[in-house]
C-alpha cells in the first residue's frame, strides 16, 4: 500500500496504542505451551530441595536425626537451623521489621513450618529422604484464637523476643503483641459519637484466606564458585527487591547476583515476599556448587507461604437520624501468625487500612490496629488488593449496610447521601489520604439504572411476602458496594520496602530502524504487560506496538523497580513509561527540527511523527527520526535515542467502582445462587479495555471465592484444615457466576496518562458486594451481620438461628 | 508429593491378577482408575509395594444384559457409563449419578468397580447400587462369588472383599420400565464429595408407591440403605407428610462426621432434604414415564 | 529401588521408548524426560487440571497417572496442537482472540480439555462448556472468556459466524 494514501485513522489504528483492544503478545507462546515458567528450567547437574515440616502447631524440637536420610543414595545434604547458624541465615528479617525462622531454631511455631531442607539428585529421592528424617517434639500449648493472644496467661509464642518491649512499630504491650497502630483524631471522633443521633457497632471479621495462584512458589538457585556469582530464577513479583535482600543476607555483592523472574503463573500477592525455600536453595547451591531447584507443592503453598486477611474489625459509625455519617471508629485485631511477615510498605504495619473511610465524607475518624502473634503461618500479603485495602473496603461497606438497615434506609440511598462529592476532589480524608479524583454519584446512579435497581427492590419485597406466606423457601438479596481503592504505592515520602523507596522505572531504547526494546521494573504475572506497556509507548512515540518488545524480570537488564503488586504497575510503572517516552520525544523533536530545518517550536506532534505547523506536508516520522538519531544527529547532540525514567509518584491513585449483586438463597440447604452481578469500574484512562475486562472477571471470581467459601482454618490443636484444593474453595467454571461489566472514566489528574490501575479493584469491591447480598437477603428476618465465608452450611445455620 | 516405590504389574486376566494379589498379600493393591489410590500414595498415606493394574484386563470393560440383570464390568469407566445407551435406557440413575462424580477428566479413568469397591464412604455409586439391589461379583483364589451391595460395606475402606479378591463385575437387576429414580447430591463444588446425597429408585402403581429404595452417601462410615424410610412410603402417594416422614426416618440412621462441608447437625439435616428432593424428583420421573 | 520397566508411547506423533521407574508420574515423564513442559503441575491432587493431556482421545490428568500406565497409549500434549505449518490452531487462536488466558499456566490443560470436549460435542452451549471444563481451574480469567473462546472455536470449526466477542 502506498504510504501517501493512508488516512489519519489508519495511521492511528496501526499503532495499536492506548484504548484499543490489542490482542495479547504473550498468548502466542502460552497457547502453545511455550511459556517459560520456573519449573520448566532444567540446568545441568541440578539438584532438588524439599522440606521436612512440622507436624505440630507449637512444639519444642528435642532432636532432629537425619542420619538415615543422609545415607539414602542420591541424597546430597540435609540442612537444619544448626547448619545455617554459622552463616547467620537461620533467621531472616521480614518486610515488616520482624524476624522469621528460615529453618526452625529449636522450636516450631506453626504446623508445616520448615524444619530441615533435604537436597537430593531429584524430587523423588528428596521426597523419600524426607520420610526418613526423624524429629522428636515436645508439644507446647497452642494459641490459635487471636482474641486470646493478649490474655495474661496466653502461652508465650516468641521467646526470641523476650524482654523486647519495643517492636518495629512502637511499644509492645504483651509478649504476643506485635504493634499498635493508630490514626485519626480520637477525641474528636469520641465527641462525634457522643453527639450522634444514631450509632452502630459490629465486629466484622475477614477470615484467613490464601492467594493460591495456580503455579506455586518456586526457584532455581545456581552459584558459580569460580566467578562468585549467584543466579536465582524464581517466581518473584518483585525481582529487584529479591536481589537486594539476597545480597544483604548472603553478603554476595549485588552486582554478582542475577535474579530472573521468568513467566509467572499468577501471583496475587503470594509471590512478593522472601520465603525459606529461596534462602535454603541459595544456601544449598553455595554449599554444593550445583544448581538447586525448590518447588513447593500445593499443601505447602496453602499452609506456609503466606496468607491474607485474618482481620477482626470492630466497627462503629455515628450518624444523624437522616443518614449523614458523622464519625467512624474502628479497632482491628490483626492475626499475623507466628512471625510478622506482612508484605506491606515497611512503615505501614496495617498497610493502607486507613482508607477505611471509603467513599464517604466522614468529618472525623479514628483507627487503631493491634497486631498479635498466633500459632499460624506467617504472612499477611495483599491478596489481589493494595495493602489491607480489601479489609478496609469490606469493613466500611458492611458497616454502611448495617447503618442503612438500622436507619431503615435503602443501602444505595445511604451511600448517595454520604459520598465525597465531585467538587470535593482532591479530597482530604479524615484518616490522612488525599483522594485524587472521583465521580461517585454518577457511577452509583449508572449502576442502579443498569440493573433496574428500583424494580429489583420491588421484586424483593414481593418475594419476601411470598416467603412469609410460606410459598417459597428461597430468599433474595441485593448487594450493593461502592469502593474506593488506594493503589500505586507509592510516593517515596511515605512508602518504602526495607528502606528502598517505592518508585518504579522504565527504559526505552529505539533502534535505528525504528523498532523498540523497552524494559521495566515491574513484573507481569498474567496482567499482560508485554501487550499494554507497548500500547503506551505506541501512543506516546508513534511506533506500532508490534514493533516494540517489552522485557521484564531480568534484574541484569531491567532498570531497578519495586515490582508488581498492589495494582501499582499502571500507576507507577505506567507513568515511568510515559515519562521515559516523553524524554525521547523531546530529543526526537530536536532531531526532527534539524532534519526539517525549522525551529523545534514550529513543530507539532501528529500521531506518528512531527510535522511543521501550518504545513503538514513537511513532516518526519518517528522511524525517520530514529535513523537520523543514530546516523545524522544535529551537531552537538549525542547520537542515539533512548531514555530511562524512575518515577516517584506524587500521590496514590484512587480507582473506584459501583457493584451490584442479586442473589437467591435456598434456606433449606443454605445454597446461594448468584443471579446477576454487575460491576462498574472507574480506573481512569483505559489502556486496553479487553485486558481490563479480563482483570475484572478474574478479580470478581476471586471475590466470589473469598466471600462464598474460602477459608484457611485451624483447629484448637493448631492443625491447618483444608489446605488442599478439595477443601480450599476455588470455584470451577460451573460455580462461577456470569459477570456484567461497565465503566466510567475519571482520569487521575496527577498521572501522566491519567490511568489509575484496576487489577485488584474487583476483588476489593466484589467481596463486600457478595457479603452485602447475603446479609441483605437475611436482613428482613432480623440479621444484622453474618460473618464470612458464606458457604452453604453457614448460611443454613444463619437461617436456623433466625428461625427461617 | 511423590509416591513411594513399588513393583508394577499389569496382568492380562483376572486369574493372573488374583494370583498376584494372593502372592503379595497385604503388600499389594489393585489399581483401576487410580484417582483414589494415587493421590493417597503421593501423600504417602498409602505405600503398597506391589501395584496390580487392572486396566489391561479387557474382560472387565463391558456392559451387557444377562437375563434380567445388567452386568457392568468393574473396569467400565464413568465416561463409558455416561455414554452407554444400554445404561441410559435401563439404568438411567447410573448415568445420572456418574455425571455428578468428580470432573470430566477423572470420569475418563475412574471406574465403577473402583468406585464401589474401595469402600470410601464419600463415593457415590455404592448408595446407588444398594438402592438398585445390585450384587458384586468377586473373584478370588477360592473362586467366584456374589456379594449383595447391601452387605458389602463394613466401615470406612473396609469391605466384604477377602484379601486377594477382585471385584470383577456389578450385576444390577434391571428395574421395570417407567421406574422413577434420582440421585440428589449436595456438594460445595464440582469435584467435591457429597455434603449429603440420596439415591432413590421407586415404582408407582395407580399414583401410589409400589416399591421404593433409598440410600445415602457420605453420611456415615458406610453407604446407608434407608430401609425403614423406604418401607414407610409403600402405598403412599408421596404427600408432603409422607415425604417428611421418610426424610426424618432417613436422617435418623445417619452419623455424619463434621468437616469443611459442615458440622454433623447440618449434614444430617441435609440428608433429609436430599431424600425429600430425591423422592419428589423420582416420583416426577415415574409419573412422566421416564 | 525397584526395576525400571520398558514403556512405549506415541507422543505428538512421535514414538517414544523408555525405561522408567514404575512410580514415575506421567507429568514428570512428559516434562522432564521428554522436555514437553507445556503441561503444568498446579495441585498434584487431580483437582486443577493444569496437567491435562489427551491420552487415547481422553482428557486425563497426568499428575495422577503413572507413566507405566500409559504404556501403549497415544498422547497429545499442547505442543502437538498447532497447525502443521506452525500457526495456531483454531482453538489456540480462539483463546487469544477472546482473551481466554492471562498468566497462561492453566492454558495448556484448558486447551487440551477443550479440544476433546469439542470432539465429543462439536457445538456446545455455554453451560455444556462450563460443565466440560469443570476439571480445570483458572485463577485469572473467571472462565467467562474461556467459555467464549471455546464457543468461538466451535463456530469457526462449524463454519458459522461467531456470536462471541471478547469484552
Amino acid at each position: 500500500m502506498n504510504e501517501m494514501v493512508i488516512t489519519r485513522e489508519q495511521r492511528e489504528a496501526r499503532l495499536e496504542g492506548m484504548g484499543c483492544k490489542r490482542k495479547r503478545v504473550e498468548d502466542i507462546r502460552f497457547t502453545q505451551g511455550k511459556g517459560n515458567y520456573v519449573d520448566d528450567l532444567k540446568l545441568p547437574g541440578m539438584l532438588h530441595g524439599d522440606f521436612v515440616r512440622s507436624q505440630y502447631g507449637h512444639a519444642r524440637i528435642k532432636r532432629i536425626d537425619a542420619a538415615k536420610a543422609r545415607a539414602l543414595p542420591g541424597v546430597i545434604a540435609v540442612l537444619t537451623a544448626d547448619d545455617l547458624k554459622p552463616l547467620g541465615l537461620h533467621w531472616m528479617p521480614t518486610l515488616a521489621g520482624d524476624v522469621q525462622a528460615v529453618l526452625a531454631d529449636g522450636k516450631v511455631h506453626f504446623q508445616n513450618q520448615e524444619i530441615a531442607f533435604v537436597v537430593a539428585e531429584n524430587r523423588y529421592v528428596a521426597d523419600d529422604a524426607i520420610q526418613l528424617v526423624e524429629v522428636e517434639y515436645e508439644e507446647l500449648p497452642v494459641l490459635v484464637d487471636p482474641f486470646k493472644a493478649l490474655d495474661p496467661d496466653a502461652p508465650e509464642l516468641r521467646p526470641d523476643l523476650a524482654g523486647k518491649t519495643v517492636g518495629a512499630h512502637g511499644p509492645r504491650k504483651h509478649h504476643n503483641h506485635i504493634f499498635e497502630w493508630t490514626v485519626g483524631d480520637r477525641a474528636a471522633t469520641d465527641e462525634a459519637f457522643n453527639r450522634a443521633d444514631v450509632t452502630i457497632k459490629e465486629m466484622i471479621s475477614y477470615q484467613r484466606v490464601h492467594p493460591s495462584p495456580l503455579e506455586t512458589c518456586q526457584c532455581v538457585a545456581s552459584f558459580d564458585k569460580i566467578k562468585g556469582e549467584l543466579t536465582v530464577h524464581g517466581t518473584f513479583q518483585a525481582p529487584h527487591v529479591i536481589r537486594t535482600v539476597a545480597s544483604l543476607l548472603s553478603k554476595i555483592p549485588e552486582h554478582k547476583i542475577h535474579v530472573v523472574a521468568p513467566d509467572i503463573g499468577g501471583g496475587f500477592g503470594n509471590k512478593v515476599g522472601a520465603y525459606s525455600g529461596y534462602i535454603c536453595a541459595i544456601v544449598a547451591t553455595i554449599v554444593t556448587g550445583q544448581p538447586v531447584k525448590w518447588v513447593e507443592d500445593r499443601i505447602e503453598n496453602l499452609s506456609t507461604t503466606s496468607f491474607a486477611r485474618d482481620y477482626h474489625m470492630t466497627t462503629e459509625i455515628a450518624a444523624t437520624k437522616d443518614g449523614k455519617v458523622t464519625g467512624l471508629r474502628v479497632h482491628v485485631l490483626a492475626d499475623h501468625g507466628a512471625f510478622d511477615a506482612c508484605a506491606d510498605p515497611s512503615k505501614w504495619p496495617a498497610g493502607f487500612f486507613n482508607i477505611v473511610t471509603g467513599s464517604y465524607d466522614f468529618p472525623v475518624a479514628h483507627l487503631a490496629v493491634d497486631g498479635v502473634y498466633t500459632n499460624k503461618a506467617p504472612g499477611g500479603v495483599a491478596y489481589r488488593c493494595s495493602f489491607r485495602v480489601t479489609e478496609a473496603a469490606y469493613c466500611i461497606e458492611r458497616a454502611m449496610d448495617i447503618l442503612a438497615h438500622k436507619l431503615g434506609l435503602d443501602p444505595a440511598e445511604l451511600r448517595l447521601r454520604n459520598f465525597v462529592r465531585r467538587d470535593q476532589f482532591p479530597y482530604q480524608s479524615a484518616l490522612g489520604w488525599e483522594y485524587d479524583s472521583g465521580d461517585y454519584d454518577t457511577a452509583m446512579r449508572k449502576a442502579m439504572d443498569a440493573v433496574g435497581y428500583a424494580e429489583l427492590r420491588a421484586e424483593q419485597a414481593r418475594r419476601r411476602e411470598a416467603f412469609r406466606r410460606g410459598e417459597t423457601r428461597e430468599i433474595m438479596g441485593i448487594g450493593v458496594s461502592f469502593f474506593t481503592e488506594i493503589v500505586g504505592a507509592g510516593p517515596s515520602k511515605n512508602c518504602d520496602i526495607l528502606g528502598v523507596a517505592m518508585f518504579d522505572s522504565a527504559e526505552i531504547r529505539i533502534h535505528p530502524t525504528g523498532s523498540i526494546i523497552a524494559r521495566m521494573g515491574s513484573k507481569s504475572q498474567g496482567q499482560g504487560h508485554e501487550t499494554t506497556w507497548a500500547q503506551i509507548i505506541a501512543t506516546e512515540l508513534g511506533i506500532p506496538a508490534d514493533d516494540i518488545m517489552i522485557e521484564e524480570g531480568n534484574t541484569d537488564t531491567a532498570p531497578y523497580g519495586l515490582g508488581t503488586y498492589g495494582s501499582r504497575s499502571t500507576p507507577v510503572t505506567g507513568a515511568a513509561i510515559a515519562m521515559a517516552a516523553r524524554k525521547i520525544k523531546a530529543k526526537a523533536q530536536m532531531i526532527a527540527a534539524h532534519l526539517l530545518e525549522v525551529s523545534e517550536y514550529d513543530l507539532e506532534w501528529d500521531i506518528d511523527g512531527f510535522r511543521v505547523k501550518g504545513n503538514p506536508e513537511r513532516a518526519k516520522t518517528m522511524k525517520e527520526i530514529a535513523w537520523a538519531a543514530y546516523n545524522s544527529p544535529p551537531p552537538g547532540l549525542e547520537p542515539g535515542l533512548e531514555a530511562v525514567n524512575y518515577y516517584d509518584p506524587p500521590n496514590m491513585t484512587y480507582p473506584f467502582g459501583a457493584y451490584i449483586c442479586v442473589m437467591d438463597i435456598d434456606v433449606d440447604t443454605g445454597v446461594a445462587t448468584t443471579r446477576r452481578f454487575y460491576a462498574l469500574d472507574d480506573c481512569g484512562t483505559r489502556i486496553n479495555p479487553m485486558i481490563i475486562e479480563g482483570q475484572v472477571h478474574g478479580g470478581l471470581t476471586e471475590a466470589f471465592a473469598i466471600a462464598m467459601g474460602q477459608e484457611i482454618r485451624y483447629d484448637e490443636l493448631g492443625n491447618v484444615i483444608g489446605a488442599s484444593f478439595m477443601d480450599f474453595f476455588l470455584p470451577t467454571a460451573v460455580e462461577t457466576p456470569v459477570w456484567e461489566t461497565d465503566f466510567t472514566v475519571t482520569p487521575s489528574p496527577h498521572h501522566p496518562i491519567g490511568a489509575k490501575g484496576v487489577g485488584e479493584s474487583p476483588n476489593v469491591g466484589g467481596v463486600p458486594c457478595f457479603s452485602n447480598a447475603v446479609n441483605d437477603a437475611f436482613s428482613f428476618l432480623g440479621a444484622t451481620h453474618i460473618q464470612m465465608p458464606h458457604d452453604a452450611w453457614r448460611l443454613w445455620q444463619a437461617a436456623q438461628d433466625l428461625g427461617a | 508429593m511423590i509416591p513411594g516405590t513399588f513393583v508394577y504389574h499389569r496382568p492380562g486376566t483376572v486369574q493372573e491378577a488374583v494370583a498376584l494379589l494372593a502372592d503379595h498379600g497385604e503388600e499389594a493393591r489393585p489399581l483401576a482408575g487410580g484417582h483414589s489410590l494415587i493421590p493417597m500414595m503421593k501423600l504417602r498415606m498409602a505405600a503398597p509395594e506391589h501395584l496390580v493394574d487392572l486396566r489391561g484386563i479387557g474382560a472387565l470393560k463391558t456392559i451387557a444384559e444377562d437375563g434380567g440383570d445388567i452386568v457392568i464390568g468393574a473396569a467400565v469407566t464413568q465416561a463409558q457409563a455416561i455414554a452407554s445407551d444400554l445404561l441410559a435406557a435401563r439404568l438411567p440413575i447410573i448415568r445420572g449419578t456418574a455425571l455428578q462424580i468428580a470432573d470430566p477428566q477423572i470420569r475418563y479413568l475412574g471406574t465403577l468397580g473402583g468406585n464401589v469397591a474401595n469402600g470410601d464412604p464419600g463415593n457415590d455409586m455404592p448408595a446407588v447400587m444398594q438402592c438398585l439391589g445390585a450384587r458384586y461379583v468377586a473373584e478370588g483364589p477360592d473362586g467366584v462369588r456374589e456379594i449383595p451391595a447391601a452387605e458389602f460395606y463394613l466401615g470406612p475402606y473396609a469391605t466384604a472383599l477377602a484379601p486377594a479378591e477382585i471385584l470383577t463385575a456389578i450385576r444390577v437387576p434391571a428395574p421395570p420400565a417407567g421406574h422413577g429414580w434420582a440421585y440428589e447430591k449436595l456438594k460445595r463444588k464440582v469435584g467435591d464429595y457429597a455434603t449429603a446425597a440420596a439415591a432413590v429408585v421407586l415404582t408407582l402403581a395407580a399414583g401410589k408407591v409400589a416399591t421404593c429404595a433409598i440410600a445415602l452417601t457420605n453420611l456415615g462410615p458406610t453407604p446407608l440403605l434407608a430401609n425403614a424410610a423406604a418401607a414407610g412410603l409403600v402405598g403412599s402417594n408421596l404427600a408432603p407428610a409422607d415425604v417428611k416422614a421418610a426424610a426424618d426416618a432417613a436422617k435418623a440412621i445417619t452419623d455424619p462426621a463434621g468437616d469443611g462441608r459442615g458440622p454433623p447437625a447440618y449434614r444430617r439435616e441435609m440428608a433429609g432434604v436430599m431424600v425429600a428432593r430425591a423422592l419428589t424428583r423420582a416420583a416426577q420421573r415415574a409419573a412422566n414415564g421416564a | 529401588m525397584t526395576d525400571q520397566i520398558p514403556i512405549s508411547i506415541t507422543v505428538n506423533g512421535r514414538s517414544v521408548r523408555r525405561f522408567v521407574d514404575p512410580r514415575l508420574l506421567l507429568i514428570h515423564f512428559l516434562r522432564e524426560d521428554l522436555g514437553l513442559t507445556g503441561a503444568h503441575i498446579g495441585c498434584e491432587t487431580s483437582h486443577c487440571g493444569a496437567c491435562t493431556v489427551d491420552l487415547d482421545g481422553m482428557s486425563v490428568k497426568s499428575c495422577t497417572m503413572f507413566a507405566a500406565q500409559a504404556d501403549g497409549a497415544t498422547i497429545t500434549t499442547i505442543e502437538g496442537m498447532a497447525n502443521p505449518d506452525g500457526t495456531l490452531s483454531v482453538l489456540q487462536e480462539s483463546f487469544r482472540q477472546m482473551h481466554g488466558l492471562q498468566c497462561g499456566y492453566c492454558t495448556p490443560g484448558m486447551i487440551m480439555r477443550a479440544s476433546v470436549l469439542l470432539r465429543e460435542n462439536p457445538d456446545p452451549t455455554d453451560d455444556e462448556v462450563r460443565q466440560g471444563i469443570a476439571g480445570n481451574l483458572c485463577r485469572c480469567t473467571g472462565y467467562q472468556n474461556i467459555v467464549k473462546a471455546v464457543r468461538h472455536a466451535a463456530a469457526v470449526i462449524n463454519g458459522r459466524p461467531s456470536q462471541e466477542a471478547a469484552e
Side-chain angles (χ1 to χ4, degrees), chain A residues 72-398:
Chain A
L72 187 71
V75 173
I76 312 297
V78 181
L79 303 176
T80 65
D82 287 342
D83 299 305
L84 301 185
K85 232 172 246 177
L87 306 168
L89 289 176
H90 54 314
W91 289 77
M92 64 176 171
T94 69
L95 298 183
D98 195 2
V99 289
Q100 172 174 0
V102 174
L103 290 172
D105 185 16
K107 183 170 179 289
V108 287
H109 298 78
F110 63 97
Q111 192 180 49
N112 287 354
Q113 185 179 342
E114 301 82 1
I115 291 178
F117 191 66
V118 171
V119 184
E121 280 173 2
N122 60 54
R123 61 182 100 208
Y124 284 68
V125 176
D127 203 306
D128 291 341
I130 285 168
Q131 322 299 323
L132 298 175
V133 176
E134 293 169 13
V135 183
E136 200 181 318
Y137 303 89
E138 178 191 331
E139 286 184 70
L140 296 169
V142 174
L143 173 68
V144 293
D145 182 352
F147 287 93
K148 293 179 179 159
L150 301 183
D151 286 356
D153 58 347
E156 181 174 6
L157 304 192
R158 292 289 300 275
D160 60 298
L161 301 179
K164 227 181 147 191
T165 55
V166 177
H169 305 285
R172 299 171 66 220
K173 57 192 176 195
H174 181 276
H175 54 255
N176 293 330
H177 188 240
I178 308 172
F179 63 84
E180 181 186 25
W181 186 60
T182 60
V183 200
D185 186 334
R186 186 189 298 261
T189 306
D190 289 348
E191 183 54 26
F193 275 84
N194 291 339
R195 287 202 312 260
D197 298 339
V198 182
T199 63
I200 61 118
K201 180 175 185 177
E202 191 66 46
M203 207 292 287
I204 298 168
S205 275
Y206 197 143
Q207 76 275 15
R208 179 174 277 238
V209 294
H210 192 281
S212 55
L214 205 48
E215 175 200 44
T216 60
C217 298
Q218 33 200 271
C219 72
V220 178
S222 176
F223 187 65
D224 182 329
K225 282 194 168 170
I226 306 296
K227 294 183 183 165
E229 293 180 18
L230 173 70
T231 303
V232 187
H233 288 76
T235 48
F236 306 135
Q237 291 182 232
H240 283 98
V241 180
I242 292 286
R243 187 184 70 193
T244 300
V245 170
S247 175
L248 293 172
L249 291 182
S250 70
K251 312 288 191 290
I252 299 171
E254 197 167 354
H255 68 289
K256 291 195 169 185
I257 300 180
H258 315 289
V259 171
V260 181
D263 288 327
I264 296 181
F268 314 120
N270 195 184
K271 295 168 179 172
V272 174
Y275 299 122
S276 296
Y278 305 156
I279 308 289
C280 288
I282 290 171
V283 171
T285 185
I286 292 172
V287 169
T288 63
Q290 288 172 267
V292 176
K293 180 184 274 188
W294 169 70
V295 175
E296 64 177 358
D297 67 30
R298 182 55 58 184
I299 293 172
E300 295 176 306
N301 176 251
L302 287 169
S303 64
T304 69
T305 48
S306 290
F307 71 92
R309 328 302 191 224
D310 221 342
Y311 257 35
H312 308 280
M313 308 171 286
T314 301
T315 311
E316 297 170 87
I317 297 178
T320 65
K321 57 183 177 302
D322 56 349
K324 188 86 185 81
V325 297
T326 56
L328 175 70
R329 196 158 56 191
V330 182
H331 177 264
V332 179
L333 183 64
D335 185 342
H336 285 234
F339 310 101
D340 186 8
C342 273
D344 294 321
S346 297
K347 292 191 201 84
W348 298 85
F352 304 153
F353 189 85
N354 54 329
I355 193 74
V356 69
T357 52
S359 314
Y360 313 106
D361 187 14
F362 279 96
V364 291
H366 185 258
L367 163 68
V369 184
D370 279 299
V372 299
Y373 292 120
T374 59
N375 290 122
K376 301 180 189 170
V381 298
Y383 168 11
R384 203 167 187 146
C385 73
S386 195
F387 316 98
R388 301 294 187 183
V389 175
T390 313
E391 290 91 328
Y394 182 62
C395 176
I396 187 62
E397 287 306 292
R398 266 295 31 250

Side-chain angles (χ1 to χ4, degrees), chain A residues 382-587:
Chain A
Y383 168 11
R384 203 167 187 146
C385 73
S386 195
F387 316 98
R388 301 294 187 183
V389 175
T390 313
E391 290 91 328
Y394 182 62
C395 176
I396 187 62
E397 287 306 292
R398 266 295 31 250
M400 289 298 278
D401 261 29
I402 293 167
L403 177 64
H405 186 58
K406 181 154 187 176
L407 290 166
L409 270 177
D410 184 274
E413 175 59 30
L414 179 70
R415 285 168 171 80
L416 287 166
R417 285 186 198 181
N418 287 287
F419 279 147
V420 176
R421 294 187 321 275
R422 194 175 158 175
D423 58 17
Q424 287 177 283
F425 291 94
Y427 171 79
Q428 196 67 40
S429 82
L431 292 178
W433 296 113
E434 185 184 292
Y435 294 18
D436 59 349
S437 64
D439 185 353
Y440 299 165
D441 198 84
T442 300
M444 187 76 236
R445 291 184 194 281
K446 186 174 181 185
M448 292 167 73
D449 288 347
V451 300
Y453 187 76
E455 295 91 280
L456 284 171
R457 285 290 175 201
E459 180 195 345
Q460 183 185 44
R462 289 194 300 275
R463 290 169 65 112
R464 284 176 170 177
E465 283 312 308
F467 183 88
R468 286 201 174 97
R469 289 193 299 267
E471 293 163 11
T472 175
R473 295 292 289 157
E474 218 173 60
I475 56 177
M476 172 180 169
I478 303 166
V480 175
S481 77
F482 196 102
F483 66 92
T484 294
E485 255 266 60
I486 170 170
V487 302
S492 60
K493 63 178 185 275
N494 50 18
C495 291
D496 68 85
I497 288 183
L498 298 177
V500 182
M502 294 184 74
F503 55 81
D504 225 291
S505 61
E507 179 197 278
I508 303 172
R509 187 177 298 170
I510 307 193
H511 302 315
T513 53
S515 66
I516 290 179
I517 182 156
R519 300 184 172 102
M520 292 80 190
S522 51
K523 177 59 206 160
S524 181
Q525 312 120 42
Q527 294 90 340
H529 291 174
E530 288 169 54
T531 304
T532 49
W533 289 166
Q535 290 181 261
I536 297 176
I537 297 172
T539 295
E540 291 284 342
L541 290 179
I543 300 284
D546 279 350
D547 294 342
I548 302 168
M549 177 182 280
I550 302 296
E551 210 180 79
E552 293 180 323
N554 185 336
T555 56
D556 284 348
T557 54
Y560 202 102
L562 274 282
T564 294
Y565 41 85
S567 286
R568 66 186 298 279
S569 294
T570 293
V572 191
T573 315
I577 294 166
M579 298 308 276
R582 288 171 194 183
K583 283 188 196 177
I584 289 175
K585 206 167 171 179
K587 183 172 177 181

Side-chain angles (χ1 to χ4, degrees), chain C residues 74-145:
Chain C
T74 297
I75 291 176
T76 306
T77 70
I78 188 70
E79 288 89 345
M81 290 297 284
N83 295 324
D85 65 358
T87 55
L88 296 184
S89 64
V90 169
L91 190 54
Q92 290 169 314
E93 184 60 34
S94 294
F95 269 69
R96 180 163 189 251
Q97 290 299 322
M98 295 297 130
H99 190 30
L101 65 150
Q102 291 181 27
C103 82
Y105 202 76
C106 78
T107 310
M110 203 61 93
I111 290 177
M112 293 315 297
R113 173 60 202 136
S115 71
V116 175
L117 170 67
L118 288 181
R119 208 180 301 144
E120 295 178 352
N121 181 356
D123 200 8
T125 62
D126 274 9
D127 186 54
E128 286 166 346
V129 175
R130 285 178 181 267
Q131 295 285 348
I133 61 168
N136 296 72
L137 296 176
C138 172
R139 297 286 292 134
C140 297
T141 66
Y143 305 105
Q144 196 152 314
N145 286 342

Side-chain angles (χ1 to χ4, degrees), chain A residues 21 23-28 30-35 37-42 122-125 127-128 210-216 218 263-266 268 293 295-299 383-384 525-528 689-695 697-699 701-702 705 710 724-726 728-741, chain C residues 1 21 23-29 31-45 47-50 66 78-83 86-89 91-93 95-108 111 126-127 129-145 147-148 165-167:
Chain A
K21 296 180 177 182
K23 302 298 177 237
R24 296 202 332 162
V25 179
E26 296 88 340
D27 297 358
I28 304 287
F30 289 156
T31 55
Q32 299 186 77
K34 298 293 186 188
Y37 302 91
V38 173
D39 199 15
D40 300 344
L41 189 65
K42 200 172 169 182
N122 60 54
R123 61 182 100 208
Y124 284 68
V125 176
D127 203 306
D128 291 341
H210 192 281
S212 55
L214 205 48
E215 175 200 44
T216 60
Q218 33 200 271
D263 288 327
I264 296 181
F268 314 120
K293 180 184 274 188
V295 175
E296 64 177 358
D297 67 30
R298 182 55 58 184
I299 293 172
Y383 168 11
R384 203 167 187 146
Q525 312 120 42
Q527 294 90 340
M690 177 190 84
I691 286 181
I692 290 172
E693 299 307 316
Q695 289 281 310
H697 289 172
T701 303
E702 289 189 4
Q710 281 189 358
S724 81
F725 280 175
M726 170 69 90
F728 189 69
F729 180 57
L730 299 187
T732 74
V734 171
E735 294 81 36
T736 302
V738 172
W739 311 114
E740 299 170 51
T741 57
Chain C
M1 293 302 283
D21 200 335
R23 66 168 167 166
L24 179 67
L25 294 161
L26 181 57
I27 183 70
H28 291 141
F29 176 72
R31 288 177 52 82
E32 294 181 10
D33 291 27
L34 303 186
L36 297 170
T37 55
H40 296 136
I41 301 171
C43 71
E44 308 190 61
T45 52
H47 288 98
C48 81
F66 298 113
I78 188 70
E79 288 89 345
M81 290 297 284
N83 295 324
T87 55
L88 296 184
S89 64
L91 190 54
Q92 290 169 314
E93 184 60 34
F95 269 69
R96 180 163 189 251
Q97 290 299 322
M98 295 297 130
H99 190 30
L101 65 150
Q102 291 181 27
C103 82
Y105 202 76
C106 78
T107 310
I111 290 177
D126 274 9
D127 186 54
V129 175
R130 285 178 181 267
Q131 295 285 348
I133 61 168
N136 296 72
L137 296 176
C138 172
R139 297 286 292 134
C140 297
T141 66
Y143 305 105
Q144 196 152 314
N145 286 342
V147 175
K148 284 187 179 184
E167 281 176 35

